[in-house]
Every structure is written in structure tokens, then in C-alpha cells.
Amino acid sequence: MKTLLVAIDRSMMARKVVALASTQALALRASVVVLCCVDASCACGPLEIEAGEDPSEYGMARDEQNTAEAAVRQALAELQRSGVTARGRIVAGEPASTIVAEANRLQAMMIIMGRRQLNSFNRLLKGSCSAAVIERASCTVLVDVRVD
């Protein structure tokens, strides 16, 4: 089956990216893996999350992992309501390289992600994750740039 990798963070842009992913997954008859990266210093290993799992079945995680888990669970619920087969994954690491590595591991046909509207200074200081993913990915990258 075709797989789409949807990279989200804990921003408001995530809902728009998930809506775009839902449309693409239904059109392509693909399953979705929702990926959220956490800081590499996080002591957590990769965390797999299935759509429809009850979060109360699992112990509470540290703050960053906990907020990432909440974002992934929300995305999975939205995808499931749309009729999309999806699962989630939280991985510690630098976002751009982690997204590309996960896409390669999954043999994803497409990466779907958002783009923050960084000003020139912040782009210089932090770099653009979406630009780095586009440069490194071996599959199609769809970037949602809507700011509405």
C-alpha cells in the first residue's frame, strides 16, 4: 500500500497540514504515518501510536513528548474521522534529517508538511526545516504554505 508521511509539530499549522494529508491520502488511496519530532536530548525512544488508542492506557510522558503525543493523537483522530488509515510516530532528533530518514525507512511516496512564515533573521538563525527536507528527500514533498 502507498504511504504518506505527514510531519507535524505542535503549532496551529498542524491542523491545516493534516487536512491536506487527508485529501491526498483519500485521492491516492494511501495510508498515513503522522510524525512528530522531539528534541534529540529527550530520553525517549521512538513511540508508536495507533489511531483510536486510548491515551489513558499509557503512562504520562515528559513535557515535550507529552505535547508531541497529544498533537499526534489529535491528528490521528482527524484522519480517522475522514476515513484515512493512519498511525503515529514520535521520534527524537533534528527535524529535517529525522523526517527524511523516516520517509526513507517507510519508503513513503510523499512527505506532507507545513512551512512557518519565518522572517529573514529567524530563517538565518534557525534555518528552514521545509527547505532542508526538500533538498534531501528522495520522494515528493508537498509543503502547505497557507497562512489563513
Side-chain angles (χ1 to χ4, degrees):
M1 177 172 221
K2 299 172 190 168
T3 302
L4 307 180
L5 177 67
V6 180
I8 64 167
D9 59 13
R10 293 153 315 270
S11 72
M12 295 302 294
M13 182 64 140
R15 294 193 87 161
K16 295 175 184 178
V17 172
V18 170
L20 177 60
S22 177
T23 301
Q24 290 296 311
L26 292 170
L28 296 169
R29 295 189 174 125
S31 66
V32 170
V33 175
V34 177
L35 175 70
C36 189
C37 299
V38 294
D39 190 86
S41 65
C42 180
C44 61
L47 175 63
E48 302 284 337
I49 303 171
E50 296 296 325
E53 284 182 344
D54 181 0
S56 65
E57 294 176 12
Y58 302 94
M60 287 306 217
R62 290 174 183 76
D63 288 341
E64 185 176 6
Q65 182 181 342
N66 202 24
T67 57
E69 187 175 342
V72 170
R73 288 188 188 283
Q74 181 177 354
L76 291 175
E78 290 175 28
L79 289 163
Q80 192 172 35
R81 280 192 296 273
S82 298
V84 175
T85 302
R87 60 190 170 92
R89 189 164 165 84
I90 299 171
V91 179
E94 186 277 321
S97 59
T98 301
I99 291 166
V100 172
E102 287 294 309
N104 290 339
R105 186 184 70 77
L106 295 166
Q107 297 179 331
M109 70 175 295
M110 183 185 301
I111 298 169
I112 302 172
M113 61 189 302
R115 176 180 177 268
R116 291 197 180 123
Q117 303 298 323
L118 298 176
N119 62 33
S120 299
F121 178 74
N122 280 333
R123 184 165 287 118
L124 179 66
L125 183 65
K126 297 177 184 178
S128 170
C129 180
S130 57
V133 169
I134 290 167
E135 280 181 20
R136 301 174 192 167
S138 58
C139 63
T140 301
V141 180
L142 180 57
V143 181
D144 189 339
V145 296
R146 294 179 292 173
V147 290
D148 54 331

